[in-house]
Amino acid sequence: MLRILFLGDIIGEPGRRAVTELLPKFKQDWAVDFVIANGENAAAGRGITPRITIDLLRAGVAVITTGDHVWDQKELAGFIDTEPRLLRPLNYPVGTPGAGSIVLETAKGKVGVINVQGRTFMLPALDNPFRQTLDEVEKLRLQTPVIFVDVHAETTSEKIALGRFLDGKVSAVAGTHTHVQTADEQIFPGGTAFICDAGMCGPIRSILGREIQPIIQRFYTSMPVNFPVAKGEVKIHGILVDVDESNGKAVQIRRVAEVYPGSVPEPEPAHDQSVPEQSVV
Ligand SMILES: [Fe+2]
Ligand SMILES: [Fe+2]
């Protein structure tokens, strides 16, 4: 049996610190063979830098996936071709820097990872994720039946559809991007583990990892506002998937939701329903 730990979007320094510190313990306690993490928000919530990529790989992450924030840090486009363990969504046009899949050797055989982005309510508009992923799965299956797909998408329908579409062809399809862990983990009849969203690794008294008030102000005023990464207690969200490496079929999927003990809860302010200020940042 091969056990994969997948961690959802890592949010800024709080998320990075929690993942970096806890990963060795998780790997040992849970006998994890292979770690995949989504790093698209690892640099202060916006993209990922070469330095952070290296730090996460050194901490024990085998493959880093991304999503719509992949190019937020300008230096990444010039770096991504030098680090094949950092993926960008597969369905960018031909000629885009980087790659959307990788196959790595492990002590229990080869593991393939694919990162693909949805198209419903998502920017930029990319190529068809269903056709692109199917083509890529067929290529990867020449090397290994153990294939993990991170589908970075907004809607549950697009993610479930891709999961069902790939059932029996890959070991797992796990969603990212919405930062909220869903409770629909399951194994489809063909042996593909699935969850709509693995959740995030970041501050929990927040709105998707960002400070609460600026997000409310943005919704209330429709004006541009800075969204700092929140502080306080950090939770690590993800999934553990056990795969029969002989045929690539998943035999178990479990949700992970662990408080980072090194983080301190921020006191919840008194319930405040006053109208946000109209200040523009
Ligand atoms: Fe994200
Ligand atoms: Fe995203």
Side-chain angles (χ1 to χ4, degrees):
M1 205 63 62
L2 184 138
R3 178 164 287 177
I4 297 171
L5 172 63
F6 177 64
L7 301 176
D9 307 45
I10 298 169
I11 314 293
E13 193 276 337
R16 295 199 312 269
R17 181 147 44 96
V19 168
T20 306
E21 275 189 35
L22 287 182
L23 201 49
K25 176 179 157 51
F26 289 165
K27 287 175 89 168
Q28 187 164 25
D29 290 357
W30 300 334
V32 173
D33 296 300
F34 196 83
V35 180
I36 306 162
N38 187 297
E40 73 145 11
N41 305 108
R46 294 185 162 276
I48 186 166
T49 63
R51 178 75 249 166
I52 292 170
T53 301
I54 292 162
D55 288 347
L56 289 173
L57 292 171
R58 282 198 182 138
V61 178
V63 177
I64 302 169
T65 54
T66 56
D68 54 315
H69 287 288
V70 61
W71 310 120
D72 284 1
Q73 300 294 322
K74 295 287 176 280
E75 68 262 50
L76 205 77
F79 166 78
I80 196 165
D81 279 322
T82 70
E83 181 43 79
R85 294 171 292 176
L86 173 64
L87 302 182
R88 48 88 172 151
L90 173 76
N91 44 339
Y92 270 91
V94 173
T96 302
S101 75
I102 189 171
V103 176
L104 288 177
E105 194 72 62
T106 78
K108 295 181 179 174
K110 290 178 176 172
V111 177
V113 182
I114 295 174
N115 187 191
V116 67
Q117 187 166 309
R119 297 200 295 183
T120 309
F121 305 138
M122 292 290 288
L123 289 171
L126 299 181
D127 294 344
N128 187 312
F130 290 75
R131 290 167 184 266
Q132 295 276 316
T133 307
L134 184 61
D135 288 350
E136 198 69 10
V137 165
E138 284 169 1
K139 278 186 224 160
L140 264 52
R141 281 187 71 90
L142 299 174
Q143 297 186 63
T144 178
V146 181
I147 299 171
F148 190 101
V149 179
D150 172 354
V151 52
H152 196 81
E154 183 69 38
T155 67
T156 47
S157 58
E158 192 172 20
K159 296 189 214 189
I160 298 168
L162 189 69
R164 287 285 182 180
F165 178 67
L166 296 175
D167 183 23
K169 297 185 174 72
V170 301
S171 308
V173 176
T176 53
H177 178 69
T178 65
H179 294 199
V180 178
Q181 189 178 67
T182 56
D184 61 332
E185 76 278 12
Q186 60 195 293
I187 296 176
F188 291 145
T192 297
F194 178 81
I195 189 166
C196 262
D197 206 291
M200 68 174 176
C201 302
I204 49 179
R205 201 182 72 75
S206 71
I207 296 176
L208 312 189
R210 308 301 185 107
E211 282 185 11
I212 294 167
Q213 281 307 319
I215 303 280
I216 294 175
Q217 186 178 341
R218 168 62 186 251
F219 279 116
Y220 187 76
T221 66
S222 302
M223 295 295 287
V225 175
N226 283 332
F227 300 142
V229 169
K231 301 179 186 70
E233 192 169 46
V234 170
K235 224 169 176 180
I236 289 191
H237 286 106
I239 51 167
L240 275 171
V241 182
D242 291 348
V243 179
D244 180 342
E245 64 269 36
S246 70
N247 57 18
K249 292 193 185 302
V251 296
Q252 181 174 241
I253 174 169
R254 276 186 288 164
R255 275 182 280 144
V256 168
E258 297 280 325
V259 170
Y260 168 46
S263 59
V264 181
E266 291 251 295
E268 189 77 32
H271 189 54
D272 178 10
Q273 286 192 319
S274 61
V275 172
E277 290 177 24
Q278 293 273 343
S279 63
V280 178
V281 179

